[in-house]
């Protein structure tokens, strides 16, 4: 212990780490289960790095053609790329190779699930508001990079499934007028599929994209520490403090245990549930297109949009413009741009320039919650459209009818779900407002001497009441005095149906009325609120 103290003091005098350790050890973090999705994403990425490092030692990113002579008899004598052969070698001949392959794939899926859920937790609770707008953009970029990492990763084995995905990307690039062909030839090193795409994707997958993800994770965590962690409304929680537990020893122990829990679950799933069985698909051949082929779930929506748009195209100045591909690209860009820019859109609408560290309850922001649900519905409809052939096959339905159902739904469902979500949020607000003013209903009714019927209510305590009345009250603005007509319409869209929080005057009046009712009820019951059956049993 003395030697450690001397060594620590020697190191601290030269690098000044004592103050930094003390700062982080005393950093406070709130305790809520919804904050754990960000940790799941981080731990999944660590598992990706560990398993990916192992796979890199055995994978050969070459498109050189070889003849297979391995233990899998169904493919013996077949010509394939060296990349595909090395993937089979990892799966069948390297000890633990198949487990690591499946851990890598399952961890990638969990990584993207955790990012999506974490982002929408941030979205629905308003955690993106000042000062966290830039951190929201960092998280959004991490989501996009996660998609790129996933796509470049599952393209590496050079099997039929991944080759079909590359063919789709080739078609997307070639649909761009004038420059599309040149972009495709630049990426593939000539005509599709060429001989360079696997080595290039390998470099992107193990070097460029992970380096960017690691850098953005570091920036994300630094911003998290600098801005303080947001917390849900509750006793003693304000925009000037954080209520929770210190990083050391509480969260250090919890985070360590949670990492091994995530690691164990991913390992268990990988050991018992097969995924991406490339030996079943076979090596890539540009001539056949495998029926029922879909990418991983986070890329499904891009495939679904292509399936829904009719085969519209026209020719101008000798160039073919493929609307059936360009329209989905514009839609994808619009959806992602809306998600990335929403914090700035809402700040412009509300004109709110304050720092926020207390989160919103989703029902207190009906329009934001409705827009989020509408965005998710578009994403899910596109994802289901990407599986229209499988749905039709399994449920014995017409694939044409399904396609038209999804085409209509993409216009109707988001609007309908936005309206339903908004009305539900407003209904919850009314119920919470009534709860603040009148308290909890007990379903016990007292008849007074004059024949009046009064229900006994249990009043909320001051902490419960505070959670229900502390949210902001934004109002629609009128054009003029520096407010543009567009912004006035936007505020009307956001806040015209608003339900104002209970004011102090309303609360005082409600409490006086409740006190009077309690006095009347106590006169009749002598303060004993038990029903006759309970009195008889006693």
């Amino acid at each position: 212990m003395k030697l450690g103290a001397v060594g620590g003091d020697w190191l601290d005098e030269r690098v000044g780490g004592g103050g930094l350790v003390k700062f982080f050890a005393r950093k406070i973090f709130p305790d809520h289960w919804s904050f754990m999705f960000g940790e799941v994403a981080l731990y999944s990425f660590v598992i990706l790095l560990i398993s990916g490092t192992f796979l890199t030692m055995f994978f050969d990113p070459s498109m050189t053609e070889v003849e297979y002579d391995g233990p899998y008899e169904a493919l013996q004598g077949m010509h394939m790329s060296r990349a595909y052969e090395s993937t089979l070698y990892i799966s069948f001949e390297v000890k633990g190779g198949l487990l690591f392959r499946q851990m890598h794939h399952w961890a990638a899926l969990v990584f993207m699930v955790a990012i999506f859920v974490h982002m929408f937790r941030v979205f629905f609770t308003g955690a993106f508001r000042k000062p966290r707008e830039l951190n929201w953009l960092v998280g959004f970029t991490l989501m996009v990079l996660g998609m790129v990492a996933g796509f470049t990763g599952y393209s590496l084995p050079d099997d039929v499934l991944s080759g079909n995905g590359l063919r789709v990307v080739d078609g997307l690039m070639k649909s761009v007028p004038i420059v599309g062909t040149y972009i495709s030839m630049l990426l593939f090193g000539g005509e599709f599929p060429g001989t360079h795409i696997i080595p290039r994707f390998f470099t992107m997958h193990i070097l460029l994209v992970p380096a960017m993800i690691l850098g953005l994770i570091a920036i994300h965590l630094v911003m998290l520490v600098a801005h303080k962690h947001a917390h849900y409304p509750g006793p003693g929680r304000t925009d000037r403090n954080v209520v929770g537990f210190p990083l050391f020893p509480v969260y250090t122990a919890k985070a360590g245990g949670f990492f091994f829990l995530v690691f164990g679950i991913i390992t268990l799933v990988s050991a018992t549930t097969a995924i991406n069985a490339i030996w079943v698909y076979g090596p890539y051949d540009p001539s056949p297109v495998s029926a029922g082929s879909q990418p991983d779930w986070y890329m499904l929506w891009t495939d679904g949009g292509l399936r829904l748009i009719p085969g519209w195209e026209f020719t101008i100045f000798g160039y073919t413009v493929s609307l059936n591909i360009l329209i989905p690209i514009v839609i994808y860009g619009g959806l992602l741009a809306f998600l990335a820019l929403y914090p700035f859109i809402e700040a412009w609408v509300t004109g709110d320039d304050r720092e926020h560290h207390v989160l919103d309850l989703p029902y207190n922001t009906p329009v934001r919650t409705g827009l989020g649900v509408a965005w998710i519905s578009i994403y899910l409809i596109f994802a289901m459209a990407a599986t229209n052939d499988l749905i039709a096959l399994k449920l014995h339905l017409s694939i044409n009818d399904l396609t038209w159902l999804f085409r209509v739904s993409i216009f109707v469902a988001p609007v309908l779900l936005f309206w339903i979500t908004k009305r539900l949020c407003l209904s919850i607000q009314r119920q919470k407002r009534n709860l603040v003013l009148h308290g909890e209903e007990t379903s016990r009714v007292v008849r007074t001497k004059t024949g009046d019927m009064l229900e006994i209510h249990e009043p909320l305590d001051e902490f419960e009441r505070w959670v229900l009345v502390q949210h902001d009250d934004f109002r629609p603005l009128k054009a003029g005095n520096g407010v543009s007509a567009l912004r006035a319409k936007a505020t009307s869209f956001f806040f015209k149906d608003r339900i104002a929080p209970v004011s102090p005057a309303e609360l005082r009046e409600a409490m006086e009325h409740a006190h009077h009712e309690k006095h009347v009820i106590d006169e009749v019951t002598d303060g004993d609120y038990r029903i006759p059956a309970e009195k008889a049993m006693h």
Side-chain angles (χ1 to χ4, degrees):
M1 290 178 63
K2 186 175 180 180
L3 182 62
V6 172
D9 185 63
W10 183 90
L11 188 64
D12 184 47
E13 289 176 352
R14 285 154 180 79
V15 300
L20 188 63
V21 172
K22 182 179 179 181
F23 171 78
F24 278 105
R26 297 177 63 182
K27 191 69 179 175
I28 300 298
F29 288 91
D31 192 24
H32 194 274
W33 63 267
S34 66
F35 298 145
M36 298 174 70
F37 292 110
E39 294 183 53
V40 174
L42 177 62
Y43 301 153
S44 301
F45 185 69
V46 172
I47 298 170
L48 283 169
L49 294 179
I50 295 171
S51 56
T53 301
F54 176 86
L55 296 174
T56 304
M57 297 177 183
F58 303 98
F59 181 71
D60 185 353
S62 170
M63 297 184 73
T64 303
E65 187 174 301
V66 298
E67 183 177 329
Y68 182 68
D69 189 27
Y72 190 67
E73 295 184 0
L75 295 177
Q76 283 188 356
M78 187 174 291
H79 290 270
M80 59 187 63
S81 68
R82 186 73 185 90
Y84 186 77
E85 184 195 39
S86 65
T87 308
L88 292 176
Y89 174 74
I90 293 171
S91 302
F92 296 125
E93 299 180 66
V94 176
K95 291 184 178 180
L98 183 58
L99 175 63
F100 271 89
R101 270 197 64 228
Q102 299 198 153
M103 284 181 64
H104 196 69
H105 206 127
W106 279 114
L109 299 182
V110 173
F111 177 63
M112 291 306 302
V113 168
I115 286 181
F116 268 70
V117 177
H118 178 63
M119 282 197 68
F120 277 101
R121 194 278 301 170
V122 171
F123 181 89
F124 287 124
T125 60
F128 53 74
R129 294 172 296 172
K130 184 181 178 181
R132 297 179 180 85
E133 302 98 329
L134 292 179
N135 215 5
W136 168 264
L137 292 179
V138 170
F140 171 81
T141 308
L142 280 170
M143 180 191 73
V144 175
L145 286 175
M147 292 182 181
V148 174
F151 177 75
T152 55
Y154 70 63
S155 298
L156 292 181
D158 198 28
D159 59 301
V160 167
L161 185 63
S162 64
N164 287 335
L166 286 174
R167 190 50 157 167
V168 172
V169 171
D170 177 57
L172 289 173
M173 289 186 293
K174 288 180 176 176
S175 70
V176 180
I178 303 176
V179 298
T181 304
Y182 299 101
I183 295 174
S184 172
M185 293 186 71
L186 181 65
L187 178 65
F188 288 95
E191 288 292 334
F192 175 88
T195 58
H196 301 293
I197 189 62
I198 299 300
R200 290 175 179 178
F201 269 16
F202 182 71
T203 303
M204 293 174 60
H205 185 69
I206 72 164
L207 182 63
L208 298 180
V209 177
M212 289 188 286
I213 290 177
L214 278 171
L216 288 176
I217 287 176
I219 294 172
H220 191 68
L221 294 177
V222 168
M223 285 186 173
L224 174 65
V225 172
H227 295 152
K228 300 196 296 287
H229 204 297
H231 49 190
Y232 286 98
R237 301 177 185 183
T238 70
D239 287 329
R240 297 180 299 277
N241 70 346
V242 178
V243 177
F245 297 98
L247 180 64
F248 185 84
V250 178
Y251 269 99
T252 306
K254 291 179 69 173
F258 191 46
F259 167 74
F260 287 109
L261 182 63
V262 173
F263 199 116
I265 291 175
I266 289 178
T267 304
L268 178 64
V269 172
S270 304
T272 56
T273 308
I275 189 170
N276 198 23
I278 60 159
W279 52 88
V280 176
Y281 309 141
Y284 180 60
D285 180 355
S287 57
V289 177
S290 176
S293 61
Q294 282 90 22
D296 284 334
W297 72 267
Y298 49 87
M299 298 296 291
L300 271 178
W301 67 302
T302 58
D303 191 19
L306 297 174
R307 297 192 186 200
L308 291 187
I309 304 297
W312 296 335
E313 63 180 32
F314 63 90
T315 303
I316 182 171
F317 303 122
Y319 292 99
T320 300
V321 180
S322 302
L323 294 179
N324 57 321
I325 295 181
L326 291 178
I327 290 177
I329 291 176
V330 172
I331 294 174
Y332 304 153
L335 287 171
L336 293 175
F338 171 81
L339 197 61
L341 299 177
Y342 184 82
F344 305 95
I345 296 171
E346 185 174 294
W348 171 74
V349 171
T350 61
D352 186 3
D353 196 39
R354 299 166 298 157
E355 284 198 9
H356 291 275
H357 301 293
V358 177
L359 299 172
D360 287 326
L361 298 176
Y363 62 78
N364 285 329
T365 55
V367 172
R368 180 204 297 159
T369 303
L371 290 173
V373 171
W375 195 99
I376 293 173
S377 71
I378 296 174
Y379 186 96
L380 292 177
I381 291 170
F382 277 149
M384 289 190 293
T387 62
N388 58 356
D389 52 344
L390 297 181
I391 296 174
L393 181 66
K394 297 299 182 181
L395 300 182
H396 306 289
L397 300 174
S398 166
I399 191 171
N400 292 326
D401 292 343
L402 277 175
T403 301
W404 275 106
L405 174 64
F406 292 137
R407 285 174 178 172
V408 174
S409 299
I410 207 68
F411 294 100
V412 176
V415 177
L416 183 61
L417 289 172
F418 170 82
W419 182 82
I420 292 173
T421 302
K422 181 181 176 183
R423 302 318 302 178
L424 285 174
C425 290
L426 292 173
S427 298
I428 295 173
Q429 283 189 42
R430 292 189 186 94
Q431 189 267 338
K432 299 297 184 183
R433 198 175 197 280
N434 188 64
L435 188 62
V436 170
L437 293 174
H438 304 291
E440 295 271 6
E441 296 180 352
T442 63
S443 301
R444 296 171 183 259
V445 179
V446 174
R447 186 174 63 187
T448 67
K449 297 175 181 178
T450 59
D452 295 329
M453 306 295 287
L454 299 177
E455 184 179 9
I456 299 173
H457 287 79
E458 282 287 339
L460 302 180
D461 63 45
E462 57 182 330
F463 299 122
E464 292 177 299
R465 189 184 302 122
W466 168 250
V467 172
L468 301 180
V469 302
Q470 52 75 41
H471 56 282
D472 294 320
D473 181 24
F474 294 105
R475 301 168 183 266
L477 301 175
K478 293 183 179 180
N481 297 324
V483 179
S484 65
L486 179 61
R487 187 180 170 209
K489 290 180 180 178
T491 59
S492 177
F493 171 72
F494 269 74
F495 308 121
K496 67 178 179 180
D497 296 327
R498 86 188 212 290
I499 297 174
V502 175
S503 67
E506 289 176 311
L507 186 58
R508 282 194 300 270
E509 183 181 348
M511 293 180 72
E512 290 173 0
H513 180 71
H515 181 73
H516 172 71
E517 276 194 353
K518 185 176 185 304
H519 179 70
V520 173
I521 292 172
D522 286 347
E523 283 186 345
V524 177
T525 62
D526 293 327
D528 187 356
Y529 297 158
R530 292 176 299 171
I531 61 176
E534 290 175 339
K535 294 178 181 179
M537 288 178 63
H538 181 71

